[in-house]
Amino acid sequence: MTPLALVRLLHLASPTLPVGAFSYSQGLEWQVDSGAIRSEADAGEWIAAVFDAGIAQFELPLLAALMRAWAADDPAAVRELNDDYLASREAAELRAETVQMGYSCVQLVQALDACAAVAAPLRALGEVAYPTAWSAAAVALAVPVDDALTAWAWAWAENQVMAAIKAVPLGQTAGQRLLMALGEAIPPHVARAAALPREAWSNFAPGLAIASCRHETQYSRLFRS
């Protein structure tokens, strides 16, 4: 990776990216409210399970396929993958989350000259999932696929840990221990995901779907999912 591509990747993976990721917990808040997550160990077990079942087996290989489709200028493949991701969101709030973040990412792409080449194709999709918009930006900024997948996984883990720190609550040091443990699992999952054939993708995470559905009617909450 060139130094500039690395800088661009850090930009895309930053929690300051204005897409609203901080406002979502993806079911973790309901797990806390229900009493299933009470400690650092509980939070680590939940986040690792969601990562293994959904992020590593579905989102990472889909993101790699999206980047290849963008690089090949294949709008039909991009649209199919975008539709697949939207259809994979089992709960209304999970679907709303990716659509809102996708919309915000498209607005950002349109405002950045470096991403001008993908702005019009993104608008043509209509309803855009967040991985679709983010992968378009990564390709426009010349970020290699493996590095992009690593950053995507890290940003997801970081956001989940920050949600746990606020909701459980946990201390900052506990959060860093969780991130160290989660970080160790990222490289092997990225290496596998980049070459995982489509028939082997899996988004089977019933615990996440149930937590997300229950969160939609939770009486009091900090997060939008």
Side-chain angles (χ1 to χ4, degrees):
M1 192 192 309
T2 66
L4 181 58
L6 175 58
V7 171
R8 298 307 188 210
L9 180 59
L10 293 173
H11 185 171
L12 288 176
S14 171
T16 65
L17 197 72
V19 294
F22 68 91
S23 62
Y24 298 101
S25 80
Q26 297 192 354
L28 186 147
E29 186 177 27
W30 181 80
Q31 289 288 94
V32 173
D33 188 68
S34 70
I37 295 179
R38 297 170 179 259
S39 66
E40 176 185 342
D42 294 339
E45 184 177 353
W46 168 259
I47 296 170
V50 174
F51 181 79
D52 290 345
I55 307 302
Q57 302 294 326
F58 183 71
E59 283 196 16
L60 292 181
L62 180 136
L63 192 70
L66 277 166
M67 291 189 69
R68 290 191 288 266
W70 282 116
D73 192 18
D74 188 347
V78 168
R79 181 174 292 278
E80 182 180 356
L81 291 163
N82 182 69
D83 291 347
D84 284 353
Y85 189 81
L86 291 173
S88 76
R89 304 298 87 188
E90 299 96 333
E93 67 175 27
L94 288 178
R95 194 181 193 283
E97 173 184 343
T98 197
V99 170
Q100 179 273 303
M101 292 177 66
Y103 173 84
S104 297
C105 193
V106 171
Q107 302 311 301
L108 177 62
V109 165
Q110 293 180 154
L112 299 177
D113 291 342
C115 298
V118 297
L122 275 173
R123 288 195 302 270
L125 289 171
E127 203 167 40
V128 181
Y130 182 49
T132 307
W134 194 92
S135 62
V139 170
L141 297 173
V143 175
V145 172
D146 284 356
D147 297 312
L149 266 57
T150 301
W152 178 273
W154 172 258
W156 179 87
E158 187 176 39
N159 195 66
Q160 285 287 286
V161 168
M162 288 304 299
I165 288 173
K166 296 172 186 175
V168 175
L170 301 175
Q172 296 291 332
T173 301
Q176 293 304 305
R177 283 194 295 264
L178 287 173
L179 283 172
M180 288 292 288
L182 291 165
E184 289 182 6
I186 290 175
H189 278 304
V190 165
R192 180 172 181 269
L196 194 67
R198 193 162 182 174
E199 60 270 18
W201 298 2
S202 172
N203 193 42
F204 184 68
L208 173 61
I210 292 169
S212 297
C213 289
R214 294 290 182 87
H215 186 266
E216 290 174 358
T217 57
Q218 188 171 314
Y219 172 70
S220 178
R221 56 188 185 175
L222 296 173
F223 298 95
R224 296 172 68 181
S225 76

